[in-house]
Amino acid sequence: MVEKSSGINNDWSIISGLVTEKALPILPHIRSKKLRSEIISNLFESQAAEYFNSIGQLVKPCLSDRDPDLFFIESGKPLEIKVTGADDETNTKLKWMGGKYSKRTSDYVFISWHYQPAMNTLYGHKDETIKYFIAQTFVDESEWSVMDNGNDNYYATVYTTEDLFRKDYQVLVGRHY
């Protein structure tokens, strides 16, 4: 059962919990950070669509890369979800990457995640967890940088924490250190 929302920050906290519940059984078996990020990204897209529809905020999930990740039907507004993995929980110097359709003008939810496996410490057992930093802002397509790796067949766009912090943004989950 999905908990009823009491605001946008709570919505994304609930969605993060749903993603974590589905991701934790899988992540220990996957070594590739890129594949982990793709799984978490897909889970955020699907769980956000299911959650918002369940609380009466009707959304249409994307059907292809050309579509926004979520399209809120009543307001007629798209929302893009960008996900990146963080090497540690301090969330510094992050960058979110995407293809040429990432450059659309839209509201964005930028998500960073850090997986912490279960471990025994001097202070006892710590359960495995995923920590998130989630922020929302509006991004114009001109604000995305094109990443050049020197390969003519490669194209990617990038948006960094520095780009995010130069604008008005709202932290939805977690905090940036």
Side-chain angles (χ1 to χ4, degrees):
M1 182 173 150
V2 174
E3 182 179 330
K4 187 73 172 162
S5 167
S6 65
I8 191 167
N9 292 30
N10 194 45
D11 291 337
W12 288 97
S13 290
I14 293 167
I15 294 164
S16 297
L18 295 169
V19 169
T20 298
E21 187 179 296
K22 297 205 179 320
L24 281 181
I26 303 167
L27 292 186
H29 307 287
I30 300 169
R31 296 210 185 276
S32 165
K33 186 170 142 187
K34 181 178 180 190
L35 182 55
R36 284 178 172 183
S37 253
E38 288 178 23
I39 290 168
I40 289 174
S41 178
N42 190 284
L43 284 170
F44 264 104
E45 289 174 22
S46 64
Q47 294 304 297
E50 284 182 32
Y51 171 77
F52 285 120
N53 281 321
S54 77
I55 64 167
Q57 289 186 21
L58 299 182
V59 300
K60 179 181 162 189
C62 70
L63 300 175
S64 75
D65 283 344
R66 294 179 189 264
D67 297 327
D69 294 326
L70 298 176
F71 184 80
F72 286 81
I73 295 169
E74 270 187 43
S75 67
K77 293 192 176 201
L79 178 70
E80 295 292 339
I81 299 172
K82 288 294 169 196
V83 175
T84 191
D87 292 331
D88 58 48
E89 61 186 84
T90 62
N91 300 316
T92 59
K93 303 249 183 201
L94 298 171
K95 62 182 173 183
W96 292 271
M97 299 182 62
K100 64 181 169 179
Y101 298 114
S102 298
K103 293 175 68 174
R104 76 177 94 231
T105 297
S106 181
D107 277 309
Y108 280 79
V109 171
F110 291 102
I111 300 169
S112 73
W113 60 272
H114 173 69
Y115 171 70
Q116 180 64 55
M119 68 175 87
N120 291 317
T121 70
L122 292 173
Y123 307 104
H125 181 78
K126 286 178 77 172
D127 291 333
E128 71 179 333
T129 188
I130 304 173
K131 297 204 176 185
Y132 300 100
F133 169 68
I134 304 177
Q136 180 178 8
T137 193
F138 183 84
V139 180
D140 185 82
E141 76 176 78
S142 66
E143 295 177 74
W144 284 88
S145 300
V146 175
M147 180 177 247
D148 182 7
N149 75 349
N151 182 340
D152 289 339
N153 296 325
Y154 180 83
Y155 181 89
T157 57
V158 65
Y159 198 82
T160 66
T161 46
E162 291 84 10
D163 297 326
L164 177 66
F165 297 150
R166 281 194 285 265
K167 319 175 46 93
D168 287 334
Y169 66 95
Q170 180 179 3
V171 174
L172 304 176
V173 173
R175 65 179 193 189
H176 187 274
Y177 295 86

